[in-house]
Amino acid sequence: MLKWLDFPAWLPENASTFGEGVDKLFVLIYWITAVVFIAVMAVLIGFMIKYRFKEGRKADYIEGSTTLEITWTAATTVIVFGLAMLSLPQWNKIKVPSQFPSSPDDVLVRVHAKQFNWDMTYPGPDGKLGTTDDLTLENHLHVPVNKVVHVELTSEDVIHSFFVPQMRLKQDALPGRTINVWFEATKTGKYEIPCAELCGFGHSAMLGYLNVHTDDDYAKWVEEAWQ
Amino acid sequence: MNDHANESHDHHHEESFVSKYIFSLDHKMIGKQFLIYGLIMFMVGGGLALLFRWQLAWPDKPLPMIGVSQEYLDEGEAVSEADRRWERWGEDDEENWFERTMYGGIIGPEFYNALFTMHATIMVFFVVVPLLVGAFGNFLIPLMIGTRDMAFPVLNMLSFWTSVLGAVILMAGFFVPGGHAAAGWTGYAPLSSVPDFTGVIWGQNLWCMALIVMGVSSLMGSINYITTVINMRAPGMTYFRLPLVIWSLFIVAILLLLAFPVVASALALLLFDRMAGTSFFLAEGGGEPLLWQHLFWFFGHPEVYILILPGMGLASEMISVFSRKPIFGYKSMVFAMISIAFLSWVVWGHHMFQSGMNPQLSMAFMTTTMLIAVPSAIKTFNWLGTLFRGSIQFTVPMLHTLAFVSMFVIGGLSGIFMANSPVDIHIHDTYYIVAHIHYVVFGGSVFALFGAVFYWFPKMFGRHMNAALGKIHFWISFIAFNGVFFPMHIIGVAGHRRRIHNPLDTDLAHLQGINEFITMCAFILGAAQIILLVNVFWSMFKGRVAEQNPWHANTLEWHAPTPVPHGNFDQIPRVYHGPYEYSVPGAETDWIPQTQSDGEPSRDEPIAAGATAD
């Protein structure tokens, strides 16, 4: 049962560069809230026992305390502003396009969501999307490990959500718009890409796979794909 | 106060059954009507939840009581047969409703989506608002501010019957071809705006219409509440002598008045998109899918506080009465509620961190959202302060109130995770948010509501509810509630998405044991509510007859006779105190009614009014 209280232990294995920052924030908030919760419950239960009704004892007439009100207002305000400040760099790193890493080695791929599949389009040898050497695979995303992968996210019909739990990445795909996200996998393996936004009766089974290869395996895959 | 002799006996004329019980203009009867209405819809909404919980724990296994089609089960084709039946909806008149929706007891993905959509829609719009705002708003406002009825009794009656119309329209959606709305209670366009994307035609249209009708009902109610609270307070009932529950309902009425037109516009645009070929939410027609989300959540977040603020108000009444102490920091409680109401207009973007909204907006929405922790913390600490050095009576309403406080703390704290946009990337649209909303609305509002039903039942029906049954219902509900919703936090963290038909579609098999545990607790939680229903309906007719002021409370409703006559008070009371003067040093009793003037008994107090009851 104790395991049920240890939220961070339930996080899926992290396999991306920015995932660690997300997990650290999660653990920080977990401990702040855990301490507050335990303190409040201890006080609540303590009061319930100590001040329970007893024959002949009257409650004290206390209307409040301005000092206390100011103290807990100020303390909570400081904590939430601090938390917001700590979180901002993480968010900007993951989601704000102007702060995305960029180098010639980066991998580019377009993910086009539609009821109920992910179409993964690779730019091919020329490195450009929308040319004749593009290759589209259904539901299988192949990327090399330790390389920045840029994803152009689009949708055919309704809103879908590109979710890779192990990359700590989630982004809705909107019809009529291209949204850019990125990740860099730190571990090889095959990870699931479920759809996280209700998209119709096939939503539950809408599932792609992220295949993170070593450099050699990736080169081999590229060779086979464009032979 | 000299002219009351003339008016006090005008209210005893004979009424017909219809004008007394059906098209009643009496705020108390309308409140009771909302109570019964809300309880019935609560059972419907809960029943839907049990159906989809079955599917989540034992995916694609037939429901035990609906009947199994062994033939298809043997061949492993039960699910595809369920799909085929759904598509052929209405072509075969011989089929009954169960054969169409749950063929062989199997819940297919189409029906599953309709189930969770309607569970949430019913619980939010047809249960919690009618019960908290409709039932208690109507019953308590005129009684607690000391007036004879609402400002607009006819509008009040119309408000109730409009909400009945809304419920009828909504329930009709279950029986139209294609089934009910299946785009989630948030109805995200374009899934909701293009019939082809879900296969739902009239279901979604009826859903829009029912919500618009419900909104009209809420508008009528809120105009009434605002007018009544501003204009009809008894002499001496200043704003800062109002009980906190009246403050909460007053604030909620203002929120409803301002929030509803936004969602009504959004729903109208959605209907145009569906029925008139416009494309407000369709990118290829020049529209914008995110527009729906902005409009919906601009309404939706105030709506969340509409669901919790009255719970806070009800809990504040009960915690003060049963601690026999003034509420700690009355004014800071009022200002905390007002600031929650203001903040509720500037936080809607936190529902949309991952939606494709400009990511630069996230800092602003994250900060405003986390700021709500401040007034929430103020309220929590003030409730604790109220218990401090009190004389706590563990009555059934108090048990519910203490459960409210502790569950609200969990719900509030779990909200900080999602307010934090980087962390939200992972837990957005998982069971973590499902756990959070249920801790706030069920653990919070509904537990406060259960307590409030027990607490005000003697004034509503002139009889007490059964305390033993009340305690049994409380403990089973409290334990089963935590069994259902606490584990949802961890499966959410582990990546269990919300709104999925079959967890085994993805790599979540290691969580399936927890899903089964949740479902078993859900069935216990559902069964426990039968105890509540039995207690309510049995006590209405057979409960112990209530005295005028059984809890020795100060507020004006206990000053009115029991059962409360038409017109409420023999004479309009005059108010001399705030509502929470308990255990005042030197006073004879540990409570001083708001009507009691300092030194001498209030002039218009019927002397027997409970002061000497024990």
Side-chain angles (χ1 to χ4, degrees), chain B residues 31-46:
Chain B
K32 290 180 212 174
Q33 288 172 328
F34 268 118
L35 181 68
I36 308 290
Y37 168 99
L39 287 176
I40 292 170
M41 294 305 277
F42 182 53
M43 295 299 137
V44 175

Side-chain angles (χ1 to χ4, degrees), chain A residues 60 69 87 95 170 195 204, chain B residues 354 382 389 420 428 497:
Chain A
D60 282 7
E69 301 288 349
S87 312
K95 289 283 179 112
K170 187 182 284 134
C195 173
S204 172
Chain B
Q354 322 307 335
N382 279 327
R389 303 185 77 84
N420 190 280
H428 182 79
R497 296 163 294 146

Side-chain angles (χ1 to χ4, degrees), chain A residues 10 51 53 57 59-61 63 69 87 91 95 115 158 168 170 172 177 192 195-197 200 203-204, chain B residues 197 324 329 332 354 356 359 362 382 389-390 392 420 425-426 428-429 494 497 499 501-502 505 507 581:
Chain A
W10 290 83
Y51 303 119
F53 171 79
R57 191 181 66 82
D60 282 7
Y61 183 82
E63 284 186 290
E69 301 288 349
S87 312
W91 172 261
K95 289 283 179 112
Q115 289 183 327
V158 298
R168 305 289 185 268
K170 187 182 284 134
D172 287 6
R177 247 200 234 200
E192 289 187 334
C195 173
E197 185 67 68
H203 166 60
S204 172
Chain B
F197 290 150
R324 310 308 298 165
S332 70
Q354 322 307 335
S362 136
N382 279 327
R389 303 185 77 84
I392 302 167
N420 190 280
I425 295 174
H426 181 64
H428 182 79
D429 271 334
R497 296 163 294 146
R499 293 170 170 175
H501 169 249
N502 184 345
D505 281 342
D507 184 21
E581 296 296 293

Side-chain angles (χ1 to χ4, degrees), chain A residues 131-151:
Chain A
T131 51
T132 47
D133 63 347
D134 288 4
L135 175 73
T136 301
L137 295 181
E138 209 167 62
N139 290 331
H140 277 275
L141 184 55
H142 296 272
V143 301
V145 73
N146 295 328
K147 288 263 164 56
V148 172
V149 179
H150 292 276
V151 179

Side-chain angles (χ1 to χ4, degrees), chain B residues 276-347:
Chain B
T278 58
S279 43
F280 290 105
F281 305 123
L282 216 53
E284 56 261 43
E288 171 56 67
L290 280 189
L291 174 63
W292 168 267
Q293 292 183 34
H294 281 292
L295 292 174
F296 183 85
W297 287 119
F298 187 76
F299 148 83
H301 211 81
E303 170 73 16
V304 175
Y305 295 111
I306 289 165
L307 302 179
I308 188 67
L309 281 170
M312 294 174 164
L314 295 169
S316 301
E317 297 305 309
M318 294 185 279
I319 206 166
S320 173
V321 169
F322 294 114
S323 301
R324 310 308 298 165
K325 268 193 64 197
I327 198 87
F328 196 88
Y330 170 89
K331 279 198 181 175
S332 70
M333 289 296 246
V334 174
F335 291 125
M337 284 197 283
I338 293 173
S339 37
I340 289 176
F342 272 107
L343 283 171
S344 76
W345 298 103
V346 289
V347 296

